[in-house]
Amino acid sequence: MREVALSGWRRVEHGFDAAFGSALNPLRHLGAIGFLLFWLLALSGIYLYAVLDTSAEGAYRSIDRLSREQWYLGGLLRSLHRYAADAFVVVMGLHLLREWLFGHYSGFRRFSWLTGVPLLAFAFVSAVGGFWLNWDQLGQFSAIATAELLDALPVFGSPLTRNFLSTAAVSDRLFSLFVFVHLGVPLLLVFGLWFHIQRISRAAVFPPRRLALGCVAALLALALVQPVMSHAPADLSIVPGALALDWLLLFVHPLAYASSVNAVWLLMSAALLLLFALPFVPQRAARVPVAVVDPANCNGCRRCFDDCPYAAVTMVPHPNQRIGRQMALVNADLCASCGICAGACPSSTPFRSVAELRTGIDMPSAPIDALRKQLQAALGGEPKLVVFGCDRGARVATLAAPDVATFSLMCTGMLPPSFVEYALRDGATGVLVSGCREGGCEFRLGQRWTEERLNGSREPHLRDSVPHEQIATAWADAGDEASLRTALEQLRHRAALVHG
C-alpha cells in the first residue's frame, strides 16, 4: 500500500516541479517551511502578547480592538498569526506523511523521527490554548470541550468545568494558566525542534528566499482578504450557537462530541504509540555496511566531515602523526551508507598509480577501486559514452547500449569528480552525470555536492582543463528515464561535433 501511495506522491511532487521548478517546490522544503511558519508565529505572537490584556475582564476587548481599530497592523498580525498556525499544522502533517512514504523513519533517521513525533502534541496543545486567550464564544467552547476531555482521565478528583470554568471561577489566575499553556508549550517546541535537527548536518531551517517570500505573501493576502474576527464575548451562562470552527486546529472537539472522549483518547494514544513504534519495526532489506576509514590513507583533510549529511563523521587524533594530525572516525549508528564521504576524499582519485586504489574513507560494499576497474573494463580502449547515475534516481541501466557504459552508485555524491576526467582520458567521448532532482536527494546533499564539485565551487572539484562540452548533468528522479534519455542524446550530438 505504501508503494502505491509513494507513487502517487511522486506524481504530485513532479507536478509541483513543473509549476515551481524542483528548486522551489514547496513539497521538497516542508521542514524548512515549517521553521519559517514557526518564526512567523513567534514574531507575530510577541506583538500580540505585548498588547494583550491578560485579565479576565480585558482579554476579549484588547484582542477585538486590534481587528476593529488597528486592522492595518494588529488586526493583520492577528490574522497572520492564525493562518500561520493553520499552515504550520498542514505542513507538519505533510512533512510527516512524506517522511513515512519515503521510509525515512528507521536506522540512522530514527532519532529525527522519534524527536519529531512529540512536536505534534506540542503544536496542537499550544494552538488550542491560543483560542482560550481570546475568550470569545469559540474560546469558551474550546476551553469547556478541553476540560471535558481532561476530565475523562483518572487524574483529577473533581470536574475541571466546575472548578475552573464556572461563572464564579473565571478569574485573572485562570488567564495566567491560559497564558502559560499558549506561551510555555511553544518553548518546549523550540527545544524539540533543536533536538529534531541535531543529527542532521546543514539542516535547512529556512526555505529558499523566493519560496519564503511567496509563503509570507500568500498568508498576508489571505489575512487581508479574509481577516480573522472574534465571536461574541464568552458568557458561561449560555451555550454558544453557531461557531466558525477552525477545523484544522480544533478538530478534536467535534470528534469528541461525534464519538466520545474515551474514543478520542484511545485514537490519539494509538496514533502516538504507532508513530513511536514505527522505527522499531524490523525492515526487510538488510542494511548496507557503513563507511570505513583507512588510517594509512586518511590525511585528516576534513572533507568527509564537512560533506556528511548526517554528522556521522567526526575528527579524532591521527595514530600516525606523519600522515596527518587528525583522522576521520565514522559513527556506525549515524552513517547512512550513502558513500558521499568517499566522493569527497582526495585519495579517491583514479589517477593514482597503484594496483589497488585504497582511499582514506570508502564503502566496503562498493569500493572506489571496484568502480575504477569496472570503468576500465567497460571502455577497453573503445570510444563510448559514460553515464554515472544513482540507485535512487532515474535508472541509468535503461540507457545501456553498445556505445554506452552505465554505472549506478549508491548516491551520485559518491562519485569523485576526477572519475569524469579519467573516463574522458580513457576513451569516453562524453560523460553524463545523473542523480535525483534538485532538492530531492534521498541523502539530502548528494545532488548538491555533486553539482558544486563539477562546477568547481566545492572540493574536490573538476579541473578547469577538462573539456566541459563533453560533460552533461541530468537531475532526474525514478520514473524520469525519458528525460535522462533526452540528455544522453543531446550529449551524444555534442560529442559527435567535438570528435568530428
Side-chain angles (χ1 to χ4, degrees):
M1 183 186 76
R2 197 181 77 183
E3 288 73 14
V4 175
L6 177 59
S7 178
W9 178 278
R10 285 190 184 277
R11 287 196 294 271
V12 173
E13 202 167 73
H14 290 173
F16 274 69
D17 283 343
F20 300 98
S22 59
L24 298 177
N25 185 342
L27 296 181
R28 298 185 185 275
H29 299 279
L30 292 171
I33 293 175
F35 271 95
L36 169 67
L37 294 171
F38 178 81
W39 295 122
L40 281 178
L41 286 167
L43 292 174
S44 58
I46 289 173
Y47 178 83
L48 295 175
Y49 180 69
V51 300
L52 172 67
D53 185 340
T54 56
S55 67
E57 292 294 329
Y60 174 84
R61 290 196 301 271
S62 64
I63 294 179
D64 187 59
R65 190 182 302 120
L66 287 176
S67 298
R68 301 186 187 280
E69 299 178 10
Q70 201 189 87
W71 65 268
Y72 52 87
L73 179 60
L76 185 64
L77 286 179
R78 179 191 178 187
S79 298
L80 179 67
H81 192 72
R82 167 74 71 82
Y83 291 132
D86 288 329
F88 184 70
V89 170
V90 172
V91 167
M92 185 170 56
L94 290 175
H95 182 56
L96 178 72
L97 175 62
R98 187 181 192 276
E99 297 304 291
W100 173 72
L101 288 174
F102 281 85
H104 297 170
Y105 51 79
S106 60
F108 61 93
R109 293 185 174 98
R110 180 181 296 170
F111 178 85
S112 297
W113 179 271
L114 293 177
T115 54
V117 171
L119 304 182
L120 298 170
F122 294 158
F124 276 104
V125 170
S126 177
V128 172
F131 288 92
W132 307 342
L133 283 177
N134 191 21
W135 205 233
D136 59 358
Q137 290 187 355
L138 181 60
Q140 171 187 330
F141 164 75
S142 177
I144 293 174
T146 302
E148 293 172 349
L149 197 64
L150 294 175
D151 283 337
L153 299 176
V155 176
F156 306 102
S158 56
L160 293 175
T161 49
R162 186 179 67 192
N163 290 341
F164 294 98
L165 293 175
S166 62
T167 303
V170 174
S171 64
D172 293 350
R173 293 181 63 187
L174 178 64
F175 272 79
S176 296
L177 175 62
F178 289 170
V179 170
F180 173 77
V181 171
H182 190 53
L183 274 68
V185 176
L187 293 179
L188 295 177
L189 193 58
V190 171
F191 285 109
L193 289 169
W194 180 76
F195 279 111
H196 184 54
I197 61 174
Q198 277 306 291
R199 294 188 178 181
I200 300 176
S201 300
R202 303 174 185 268
V205 295
F206 201 78
R209 182 177 300 177
R210 285 191 292 170
L211 180 57
L213 292 175
C215 292
V216 174
L219 292 173
L220 286 174
L222 186 59
L224 289 170
V225 173
Q226 189 66 40
V228 174
M229 305 296 291
S230 298
H231 290 70
D235 185 348
L236 293 173
S237 64
I238 63 173
V239 177
L243 297 173
L245 195 68
D246 189 320
W247 288 90
L248 287 171
L249 303 178
L250 299 178
F251 71 91
V252 68
H253 299 328
L255 182 62
Y257 287 126
S259 55
S260 67
V261 291
N262 291 328
V264 168
W265 277 119
L266 181 62
L267 179 62
M268 291 192 299
S269 301
L272 285 176
L273 285 175
L274 178 62
L275 291 175
F276 275 119
L278 198 58
F280 302 98
V281 176
Q283 302 297 308
R284 295 179 183 177
R287 186 177 178 185
V288 178
V290 301
V292 175
V293 176
D294 182 0
N297 288 281
C298 178
N299 65 3
C301 69
R302 301 174 65 90
R303 290 179 185 171
C304 57
F305 170 80
D306 291 335
D307 285 8
C308 179
Y310 298 100
V313 179
T314 55
M315 303 305 295
V316 297
H318 203 295
N320 188 342
Q321 294 291 325
R322 288 178 298 177
I323 298 177
R325 293 183 179 181
Q326 290 184 313
M327 181 186 76
L329 178 67
V330 177
N331 185 329
D333 291 333
L334 303 183
C335 182
S337 301
C338 60
I340 291 176
C341 53
C345 185
S347 60
S348 294
T349 173
F351 289 105
R352 291 172 60 193
S353 301
V354 290
E356 182 181 2
L357 181 58
R358 296 180 63 86
T359 66
I361 188 168
D362 209 348
M363 298 303 301
S365 58
I368 291 295
D369 180 65
L371 179 61
R372 183 174 71 166
K373 291 177 179 177
Q374 292 167 8
L375 182 60
Q376 291 171 341
L379 292 175
E382 297 181 12
K384 288 184 178 181
L385 292 169
V386 172
V387 180
F388 294 108
C390 170
D391 291 342
R392 305 302 181 105
R395 295 172 299 160
V396 297
T398 59
L399 303 179
D403 66 334
V404 179
T406 62
F407 303 89
S408 187
L409 311 175
M410 298 173 178
C411 173
T412 305
M414 183 181 177
L415 178 70
S418 53
F419 266 77
V420 175
E421 180 180 1
Y422 186 79
L424 292 173
R425 287 196 185 184
D426 208 29
T429 57
V431 177
L432 174 65
V433 180
S434 174
C436 301
R437 291 193 186 189
E438 187 175 357
C441 177
E442 174 69 13
F443 302 106
R444 299 183 54 245
L445 301 173
Q447 181 274 336
R448 176 181 169 185
W449 290 164
T450 302
E451 188 168 47
E452 291 184 4
R453 291 168 186 169
L454 293 178
N455 66 28
S457 61
R458 189 171 194 83
E459 296 294 339
H461 68 271
L462 185 66
R463 295 195 299 182
D464 293 335
S465 58
V466 179
H468 288 267
E469 64 274 9
Q470 293 176 252
I471 304 170
T473 57
W475 309 122
D477 285 343
D480 290 341
E481 285 74 20
S483 62
L484 192 62
R485 194 171 294 107
T486 300
L488 180 65
E489 290 305 316
Q490 292 174 347
L491 177 62
R492 189 194 303 275
H493 177 69
R494 292 210 311 270
L497 293 178
V498 170
H499 291 279

